[in-house]
Amino acid sequence: GNSVTQMEGPVTLSEEAFLTINCTYTATGYPSLFWYVQYPGEGLQLLLKATKADDKGSNKGFEATYRKETTSFHLEKGSVQVSDSAVYFCALRTGRRALTFGSGTRLQVQP
Amino acid sequence: DTGVSQNPRHKITKRGQNVTFRCDPISEHNRLYWYRQTLGQGPEFLTYFQNEAQLEKSRLLSDRFSAERPKGSFSTLEIQRTEQGDSAMYLCASSPLAGGPDTQYFGPGTRLTVL
């Protein structure tokens, strides 16, 4: 079946530091890959997505590249801000319409 | 576009009681999903509608759970004879019926606490 594994948090960084949150997946077929973000007190929001191998999704300075050979979709940002503090979820979707989520990684950015 | 709305936002109930949650998707979104999220975990899929048809149900959806979408617009999720293990955030999402990978838009969730 499908599964997503994320690095455990919390990840604590200073403002302007480089961010990487690792995500690897197991899936049948060719999944689409997503990163969702959940800010404190808010609902899940789509951050970025990639639909095929070697695609790069990007939004708000965040990037992730669909790596089929390593079954990975790591999230990166060159310079984090305090406002990026949130929980980040990696997810995938194959033929089924439902998303399969990882367990989430909490990011804390300190000024 | 007012987004996906869910009511109530919070529900506290006693074990054994029945509860019902409502989800109003983004207008003209044909697909509607229910997920459950427990503390420290990612959302887990419960069930999926396309218009009024319930096309898929997870094994997580026990016989005590039932979901409906009678007119293909809003949906309800009912839990009968609630148990403490049902305490969780129940999320609803919707997406348009369009070609290619769809983006699911999530509501704020209903937090259920079973005492």
Side-chain angles (χ1 to χ4, degrees), chain A residues 32 34 36 38 41-46 49-51 87 89 93 95-104 106, chain B residues 9 31 33 35 37 40-45 48 50 56 58 89 91 98 100-108:
Chain A
S32 296
F34 305 82
Y36 277 81
Q38 191 169 33
E42 299 184 17
L44 279 167
Q45 302 174 23
L46 178 67
K49 67 181 179 183
T51 59
V87 181
F89 293 92
R93 178 182 160 278
R96 290 178 58 191
R97 294 300 175 183
L99 290 162
T100 299
F101 286 87
S103 57
R106 181 176 299 279
Chain B
R9 295 291 305 276
R31 296 174 177 154
Y33 311 79
Y35 294 83
Q37 185 178 17
Q41 298 298 315
E44 296 173 293
F45 169 70
Y48 155 60
Q50 183 163 305
E56 191 166 3
S58 161
M89 179 76 86
L91 300 172
D102 52 329
T103 296
Q104 295 184 20
Y105 297 85
F106 283 80

Side-chain angles (χ1 to χ4, degrees), chain B residues 13-106:
Chain B
T13 191
K14 293 182 179 179
R15 188 175 54 187
Q17 298 295 305
N18 299 344
V19 294
T20 300
F21 310 141
R22 176 177 169 127
C23 170
D24 287 88
I26 294 172
S27 60
E28 300 180 354
H29 277 195
N30 303 86
R31 296 174 177 154
L32 187 146
Y33 311 79
W34 285 99
Y35 294 83
R36 181 173 69 186
Q37 185 178 17
T38 53
L39 197 62
Q41 298 298 315
E44 296 173 293
F45 169 70
L46 292 178
T47 190
Y48 155 60
F49 290 84
Q50 183 163 305
N51 298 314
E52 66 276 6
Q54 187 173 19
L55 297 186
E56 191 166 3
K57 293 193 288 187
S58 161
R59 285 174 292 179
L60 291 176
L61 211 67
S62 74
D63 291 344
R64 296 184 297 105
F65 288 70
S66 63
E68 294 182 340
R69 195 183 183 198
K71 297 182 179 179
S73 56
F74 73 91
S75 175
T76 58
L77 177 68
E78 181 183 17
I79 309 174
Q80 296 182 326
R81 305 181 304 281
T82 52
E83 302 173 356
Q84 288 185 328
D86 297 331
S87 296
M89 179 76 86
Y90 290 84
L91 300 172
C92 176
S94 69
S95 67
L97 184 63
D102 52 329
T103 296
Q104 295 184 20
Y105 297 85
F106 283 80

